[in-house]
Amino acid sequence: MSVKDCGKHHSKWPPRLKRFAIGLLIFNFILLLIILLAWAIIQPHKPRFILQDVTVYAFNASVPNFLTSNFQVTIYSRNPNDKLGIYYDHLDTYATYHSQQITLRTSIPSSYQGHKEVDVWSPLISGTYVPVAPYNSIALTQDQSTGAVSLLIKIDGRVRWKLSTYITGKYHLHVKCPAFITFGSRTTGISVGENAIKYQLVQRCSVSV
């Protein structure tokens, strides 16, 4: 004897639950569409960064292929948006020379930057006997003999955007700030204390998000 399959035995969603699920999908789609349209209309702008000054406490490459350095940098950050806030969830700053990192990373505390607001950070970045590639060691010796070294102060991190109550996911933030440091008779810095020299740069930084 064969057993007949009865359609009544198949499980079905109750009509009320099905209508609720469809309504929820439509609502989420409309909400997402509104957010995307608002995002396109507002056209978010990247934060602006300026390297205001660098104070050099140590910069010693007397040991071949090793560098000891100690800086304090002052970084100005501004949110240019009228309707968007920015969460800086994690930021690290460090110095590089010819694409090689020459200091340890220093963390900048997490913060929220409202519309048109400004933050100023003054982290210390340093490295003791950091190994330097041989070709960079030669270039560094040459730069020091001419009395000028070109560095990059970099900031890497994660940011989120806030539009009203909506907060986006995390985006990568990369900031590059040129720092031209002069020594000896060519120095343009101001002596601070016994062994430190402060350079007023006010240098615009490149920002990518």
Side-chain angles (χ1 to χ4, degrees), residues 7-13:
K8 293 182 180 180
H9 291 167
H10 289 296
S11 62
K12 293 184 178 179
W13 284 14

Side-chain angles (χ1 to χ4, degrees), residues 68-205:
T68 295
S69 58
N70 188 359
F71 310 100
Q72 183 170 26
V73 297
T74 302
I75 300 167
Y76 164 102
S77 170
R78 180 175 181 268
N79 176 8
N81 296 284
D82 291 320
K83 298 180 175 62
L84 290 175
I86 302 175
Y87 284 101
Y88 296 100
D89 289 325
H90 182 78
L91 297 176
D92 285 333
T93 181
Y94 56 98
T96 65
Y97 174 77
H98 288 196
S99 301
Q100 181 178 358
Q101 185 174 331
I102 59 172
T103 68
L104 300 175
R105 291 172 175 256
T106 297
S107 295
I108 296 175
S110 301
S111 63
Y112 172 74
Q113 197 172 58
H115 317 148
K116 300 290 185 179
E117 284 188 355
V118 170
D119 287 326
V120 178
W121 302 304
S122 295
L124 283 166
I125 53 176
S126 62
T128 303
Y129 291 111
V130 175
V132 179
Y135 56 88
N136 276 344
S137 182
I138 294 172
L140 186 57
T141 301
Q142 293 173 345
D143 287 346
Q144 286 192 296
S145 65
T146 59
V149 175
S150 182
L151 305 176
L152 273 180
I153 306 301
K154 291 187 175 183
I155 301 173
D156 294 336
R158 301 286 189 276
V159 295
R160 291 177 294 160
W161 306 93
K162 181 181 179 183
L163 173 61
S164 185
T165 58
Y166 173 72
I167 300 175
T168 70
K170 294 183 179 181
Y171 289 82
H172 291 273
L173 174 74
H174 300 287
V175 181
K176 297 179 181 179
C177 308
F180 191 68
I181 307 301
T182 53
F183 298 93
S185 60
R186 292 189 57 189
T187 185
T188 57
I190 301 171
S191 295
V192 180
E194 295 183 0
N195 299 314
I197 300 177
K198 185 173 185 177
Y199 298 88
Q200 297 286 353
L201 302 175
V202 193
Q203 177 65 53
R204 183 78 175 265
C205 307

